[in-house]
Amino acid sequence: MSSRSGGRVLHRVLVPRGAMIATRVGAVLAPDQAIGHWDRPLPPIRIDAARQLRCRAADLPGLMVASAGVRVQDGAVLARAPSGREVVAPASGWALTASRDGSILFAPAGAAETIIAHVRGRVRAIEEGAVLVEVPGARLPGIAGSGTAVHGELMLAVSGPDDELRATAIDTAAAGKILVGGSRASAEALTRARAIGVSGIVLGGILDKELREFEAAGQRRRDAGGASDPFGLLLLEGFGKVGFDPLLFGWLSAQAGRMASLSGADRLLYVYDAPAAPVRRALPQVGERVIGCRRPFQGRTGVLVAILDDLHAAPNGVLTRMALVRQEEGRLVVAPLANLEAMGTPAGR
Amino acid sequence: MATAEVSVLVDRGSTWTKASVVGQTRGRWRITAHAAQPSSWGDDDLLEALVRRLEPAADQRLAGRLRGLLADAPRISCHTPSRAGRLAVASLTGELSGAAARSAAEGAGWVVQEAVAPDDGRGIAERLAVLQRAPVDAWLLAGGFDDARSDQALELAGLVRAARDGTTAPVIWAGSQLMAAEVAACFEPGACTAVANPLPAPDIEHGATLRRHLEAMLEALLEPGGVRALTPFGFRRAVAELSRSQRLRILAVDLGARYASWVLADGDGSAEGWVQASGGIATSPHGGGSSAARIVRWLPVAADELTVRDALETYRARPVTLPYTDDELAILHAAVRGVLTAHRPALPPGGIDLLIGGGRTIAAAPTPAQAMQLLVDGVRPTGAFQVAIDPTGVLGPLGSLADGEIGEGMAELRDDLLTPLGAAVVCRGGRPGQPAMRVSVRRAGWPALPPIELRAGQVQVVELGPGQVAEVEIELDAEVSLGGPRGGRRLSATLTGGSVGLVLDARSTPPLVPRRSDDRRAVLGSWRDAFARETAPRASGTSESPR
C-alpha cells in the first residue's frame, strides 16, 4: 500500500561510519545544507617503520602503539622502539596493519567530502550511520529508483500522463530541476538530461533495458575518472511504457514550481509544503476508481464494478479473486484483484 | 495441537498470506478451508475469505456464526522475517574464501551488503570506502587454509576495524585457524569470534559450521525470543519431522517472493537448512532482468528479451501482483526454474526419496503438471523419487509448534499436508538421440505395459494416479546414471502416483536445448506438453483403465 502523506514525515539521511556530523538535534536544515563531512580514504602508503625504529622487521608488530584500523591524527605516534625512537603518522588516517616485513600500511584520510542533507526539515535524531530529519511536505514512494539523492524545483516536462519524455523536450531551462516525465524516457533522453544538469526525473514507466544502459554509461564515465554529476531517477508505476496515474499526474502538475527532493536509492520523492498526494490502496472496493499494476492493464484506470464471488481463473489458469473493471474508454475487463489499486484523494475516495 | 473444535494455521509472507482452517470432520482433524491473498489486504478480509470457503460445506447450524468462530479460534502462525540480517564480507580471495563465506552467509539468512577482497579489482582505499558506507549488522572475515599464515589476513582485519570505526557490530573470523588469535586481537575484547574455516584446505569445503553459527547470530538479532515462528525455520522443523516419522530422505524448497528455504532431511530427524534472504523470486539475481537472456532460452513461447526484462522487473517491484497472460506465466516459471537451479543444494550420493515444493508460485501453479515440471526441471535431482507440493502452506505454521507438538500436529493432518504429484525417474548422461534407459512399469490392477525405451533428451509421463503403486524396473545405458553407485545398470523402485503420474526423464542435467530459437522453443514446448499429458504407449489390445 502506498504512503503519500502530507504534513511531516521522517527521512533518514545515511552517513558513512567515521563521518563527522556537523548538525544537532533541533537544527533546521535546507536541502543544500551540509550536515557533516567524511574523509574519504586515500590509497595507502607503506611506511618503512623498522628502519626508522632501527629494529628487526619481525619485532615491529610488538612495537606498535596505534591499534590496527583505528583512526589517528597527523603526527600521532604509530610505533615506538625501546630506544625511544618513534614512527609518527604522516597525515591523519588509518594504520591498517604492521607487517612482518617491517612496514606499516597507512591509509591517509583524503580531503573532506561534504555530506549534503538533500532534504529540508528539522533534525529529530542523530543515530549510528544516519541523521533523522522531519520533512514538512508530501512523500511519494516509487517502485524503483536509481542514482543519488538530489533536490531541485519540480518542473513538468510532458503535457499528459501518457506522454513520453523526449530528449528534445529537455533544454537548459531544466538545469537544476526535478522533471516530471511521462510514460517512458529513452536512455538518450536520460543522458541528455544528466548532461544538461537536470537534478532528477520522475517517470511513470521506463524500459528496464534503457535504464540499465543509462546506468552502465554513468558507471563507465565514473570508471574513466569522469565527473559524477548528481542525478536521481524515480519510477512510480512499472517497467515498460506505463503512463502515470492521472490523479497523481494532476497533483504533480499542481505542485510544479515547488522545491522537491528525490532519493533514487530510497525510491522517494518529497515535495515541500505540498498537500498530501493522492493515495493508492490495496484491496479496492466496488465503486472506487482503480489503476492496474500489471500487464495487460498496467497504468490503465477505471472504476471497479464488481468483485466476483469465489476464485476464478485468469486466462493463464492462475486461480484468484477477480474483479470487473469499467475502463475509462468504456471497455469492461476482468482483472485479478491483486493487480488493482484504489486511487483517491487523501480526504476521501 | 489445539484442543478447540477449530484452529487456524497462518503463514504471513512478505507479500502473500496463506491461511487454513483446521476442523474436526468425522472425528478427524482435516483442513476444511484455505485462503491465500496479499498480506496488505489485512486480517479482516482474510477471515472473510475463509468464511466464504467454509460456508458451503459447514454445518448449517453454524451459519452466521462462522466468522466469530474463526476470529476466536486458536491461531498457529508463522511469518517471514521482517528484515534480513545485513553482512559485510571481507576475504583474502573473492573466488575461494570469499565465495565459501558468502555461500555460508547467504544460506543462513543473511544478505551480503558488500563483499571485498584484494583480487576484486579495487584498491585498498576504495575497499575501505565501500565498507564504511555499508549499513551492516555484522562483519565476516575469511581467508587462508588452516595451516597458512598471512599478513594479508591482518591487513583485512585492520581494514574492517577502520570501517567499523568504533561501532559495536560483531566480527566473525572464519579463516585460517592459525591466525584466529592474531585477528581477534585486532578488535576490542569480545568483539571477534573465531568459527571453523569453511575452506580449511584446498580440496575441502565445509561451510556447515559457519552457516549454523551465522544462523544462531541472526536468530539473536531478529527474533531474540526464538525463531520457531519464523517461516523458514518452521518449514525446516516440519520437514525434519516428516522425514523422521516417514523415514524418508527429503529435499524441500519453500520459494517465496523474498525468501527461499531449502531443507535436506536424512530420514533420522536431522536436517540441514539453508535460509536465503535473497533467494526468492523477487530478490534473487537469478530471477531478475539481468538474467533475462538466460530466461529467454528457457521459454517455450516467443518473447523478446525486452519484454522479459520488463515483466521480471515489474514482478520484482510489485511481487504481490499475479501474471495474467500465458506469456507472463511462462516468463515467471522460467525465472523460478533459474532461481531453483541457482540455489539448490548439493544432494547426497544416495539421492532423495521425496521432493517437496512450497511457496505459491510452485504449489499454487495453475496445473499440477506445471508444478511438477518446475520442481523436476529446477531442482533436478537424479534417481527415482516422489514429488509433492504443500498447496496450503501449512508446513511453516505446523513447524512453529513446540517440539512435543509438531509430530502430533503433523500426524493429525497427515492426509492433507501434502498433495502428491507423483514420482519421477531422472537420469543423467547419455548421448543425444541414443537410448538412455528402458523402463518397465508394473501397476497393480492394470494390464502390463510394454517396456518404455527413452532416448537421451526425451521425457515421458506414465499414468499413475494418486495412491496407485507401481513397481518400476530401470535398465540404464552404459553412459547413463541415476546418481547411485557406479556400475549399477539395473535398478528397481516402488513408486506411488499422484495427480501428474510417473515422469520418466532422460534429459541431461541441465537439459540440452537447441541453439536455434525456433527449434529450442519447439523442444521446450514438447517437454511442457509431455508433462501435461500421459503419453505412455498402451499395451496392445488392452484398455488403459484399471481392471
Side-chain angles (χ1 to χ4, degrees), chain A residues 26 36 55 63 69 104 145 182 184-185 211 232 343-344 346 349:
Chain A
C55 69
L63 302 177
I104 295 172
R184 178 185 163 185
L211 176 60
M343 310 154 56
R349 295 168 197 153

Coordinates of all heavy atoms in Angstrom, one line a residue, chain A residues 26 36 55 63 69 104 145 182 184-185 211 232 343-344 346 349:
Chain A
G26 N 17.3 19.2 16.5 CA 16.5 20.5 16.5 C 16.9 21.5 15.5 O 16.2 22.4 15.2
G36 N 27.6 17.5 7.6 CA 28.8 16.9 8.1 C 29.8 16.6 7.0 O 29.6 17.1 5.8
C55 N 64.9 -1.4 14.3 CA 64.6 -2.7 15.0 C 64.5 -3.7 13.9 O 64.5 -3.4 12.7 CB 63.3 -2.6 15.8 SG 61.8 -2.4 14.7
L63 N 55.9 -3.5 18.6 CA 56.2 -2.1 19.0 C 55.2 -1.1 18.6 O 55.3 0.1 18.8 CB 57.6 -1.7 18.3 CG 58.8 -2.6 18.6 CD1 60.0 -2.2 17.8 CD2 59.1 -2.6 20.1
G69 N 43.8 -0.2 12.3 CA 42.4 0.2 11.9 C 41.9 1.4 12.7 O 40.8 1.9 12.3
I104 N 54.6 -0.4 7.9 CA 53.2 -0.1 8.4 C 52.4 0.3 7.2 O 52.8 1.2 6.4 CB 53.2 1.0 9.4 CG1 53.9 0.6 10.7 CG2 51.7 1.4 9.8 CD1 54.1 1.7 11.7
G145 N 14.1 3.0 -8.2 CA 14.8 4.2 -8.3 C 16.3 4.0 -8.6 O 16.7 2.8 -8.7
G182 N 7.1 11.3 -18.2 CA 5.8 10.6 -18.6 C 5.9 9.1 -18.5 O 6.4 8.6 -17.5
R184 N 7.5 7.1 -20.3 CA 8.7 6.4 -20.7 C 9.8 7.5 -21.0 O 9.4 8.6 -21.4 CB 8.5 5.6 -21.9 CG 9.8 4.9 -22.4 CD 9.5 4.2 -23.7 NE 10.7 3.9 -24.4 CZ 10.8 3.3 -25.6 NH1 9.7 3.0 -26.3 NH2 12.0 3.1 -26.2
A185 N 11.0 7.2 -20.8 CA 12.1 8.1 -21.2 C 13.2 7.2 -21.8 O 13.6 6.2 -21.2 CB 12.6 9.0 -20.1
L211 N 17.0 1.8 -18.8 CA 17.5 2.2 -17.5 C 18.9 1.6 -17.3 O 19.8 2.3 -16.8 CB 16.6 1.8 -16.4 CG 17.0 2.1 -15.0 CD1 17.2 3.6 -14.8 CD2 16.0 1.6 -14.0
G232 N 19.2 11.8 -10.0 CA 18.4 10.7 -9.4 C 17.2 10.4 -10.3 O 16.7 11.3 -11.1
M343 N -7.5 4.3 -6.2 CA -6.9 5.6 -6.3 C -7.9 6.6 -5.7 O -9.1 6.5 -5.8 CB -6.8 6.1 -7.8 CG -6.2 5.1 -8.7 SD -6.7 5.3 -10.4 CE -6.3 7.0 -10.7
G344 N -7.3 7.6 -5.0 CA -8.2 8.6 -4.4 C -7.4 9.7 -3.8 O -6.2 9.7 -3.7
P346 N -6.5 12.1 -0.5 CA -6.3 11.7 0.8 C -7.6 11.9 1.7 O -7.8 11.1 2.6 CB -5.2 12.6 1.3 CG -4.6 13.2 0.1 CD -5.6 13.1 -1.0
R349 N -12.5 9.0 -0.9 CA -12.3 8.2 -2.1 C -13.2 8.6 -3.2 O -14.3 9.0 -2.9 CB -12.5 6.7 -1.8 CG -11.4 6.2 -0.9 CD -11.8 4.8 -0.4 NE -11.1 4.5 0.8 CZ -11.5 3.7 1.7 NH1 -12.7 3.1 1.6 NH2 -10.8 3.4 2.8

